[in-house]
Amino acid sequence: VVDYYDRHGSPNEKTKAYYLMGCIYRDQHDIPSALEHFYKALEKADTLSDDCDNLLLMRIWGQIAEAYDDQYMIEESLTPHKEYSKYALKAGNTFESIRGLEFCNYDYYELKDPLKVLLLTEKLKKMYREAGYPDYAHNCQSVAAYIYIARGNLAKAEKLVREIVE
C-alpha cells in the first residue's frame, strides 16, 4: 500500500500511508522502523498546501514524542512535543495544543530546568483558563509544586496543591 500511494497518491495520502506503516512497526515494538516511517511521513507532507492534514501531522509528532518518551529519551521528545502543539493549533484543536506544551513542561522538569517549568506553568495556567479549561489550569501546576518542595518552599508548594485539589 505504501509503495502504491508513494507513486500515485496525493501528499496527504503519502503521509497517511507512511504514518500507518509506522504504526504497524510501533505495534510490533520495532521503534527504529516506526520512527523511520513517521519521519518519512513528515517528509511527504505538503505543509504549505491549504489542504494539508494538520491533524495527521499532530498525530505523527505525537507518535514520535511517545516513542522517545518510552525510551526515556527526554531531550529528543521535546521538539516533537512542540511540533505536536504547533500542528494541533493549526488543526484548530486548542486543547491538544496546550496539552502539547504541558508535555514540554514535563520534559523540562526531567531535564532539570526549573526556571522553564515555572515560567511555562504560569503560561499554561493562563492558556487553559482562557480556553475554558479551568480544571486543567489547576492540574498543570503539579510539576511546579514538586520544584517548590525540592527547594524547601513548602508555603508556595502548599498553595499550588490547594489550588489543585479545590
Side-chain angles (χ1 to χ4, degrees), residues 46-107:
D46 182 2
T47 57
L48 299 177
S49 172
D50 289 339
D51 71 340
C52 179
D53 190 344
N54 290 308
L55 190 59
L56 179 58
L57 294 178
M58 177 196 84
R59 289 185 180 120
I60 294 168
W61 282 112
Q63 291 297 319
I64 292 170
E66 189 173 320
Y68 287 133
D69 284 343
D70 289 347
Q71 302 299 312
Y72 303 103
M73 299 172 72
I74 306 304
E75 276 190 64
E76 288 79 2
S77 70
L78 188 57
T79 295
H81 282 139
K82 289 177 182 178
E83 292 297 310
Y84 175 91
S85 178
K86 176 176 106 178
Y87 284 101
L89 189 60
K90 284 185 172 194
N93 192 330
T94 305
F95 177 77
E96 288 301 325
S97 178
I98 301 169
R99 288 280 295 156
L101 293 177
E102 188 172 355
F103 294 138
C104 291
N105 218 23
Y106 296 117
D107 294 339

Side-chain angles (χ1 to χ4, degrees), residues 94-154:
T94 305
F95 177 77
E96 288 301 325
S97 178
I98 301 169
R99 288 280 295 156
L101 293 177
E102 188 172 355
F103 294 138
C104 291
N105 218 23
Y106 296 117
D107 294 339
Y108 291 134
Y109 178 78
E110 291 295 326
L111 293 170
K112 311 251 186 278
D113 195 338
L115 181 58
K116 283 186 181 173
V117 170
L118 297 175
L119 292 173
L120 186 53
T121 297
E122 289 304 311
K123 180 179 178 180
L124 288 166
K125 283 174 26 180
K126 182 179 178 188
M127 292 172 75
Y128 275 130
R129 285 186 184 125
E130 288 175 356
Y133 302 103
D135 290 343
Y136 287 90
H138 296 302
N139 293 340
C140 76
Q141 300 179 113
S142 60
V143 180
Y146 285 123
I147 290 171
Y148 287 124
I149 290 169
R151 290 180 168 182
N153 191 340
L154 300 181

Side-chain angles (χ1 to χ4, degrees), residues 21-22 25-26 28-40 64 67-68 71 73:
M21 196 68 205
Y25 282 115
R26 177 207 60 209
Q28 294 174 345
H29 307 288
D30 183 351
I31 301 305
S33 295
L35 286 170
E36 176 185 347
H37 283 81
F38 291 144
Y39 281 114
K40 280 184 182 177
I64 292 170
Y68 287 133
Q71 302 299 312
M73 299 172 72

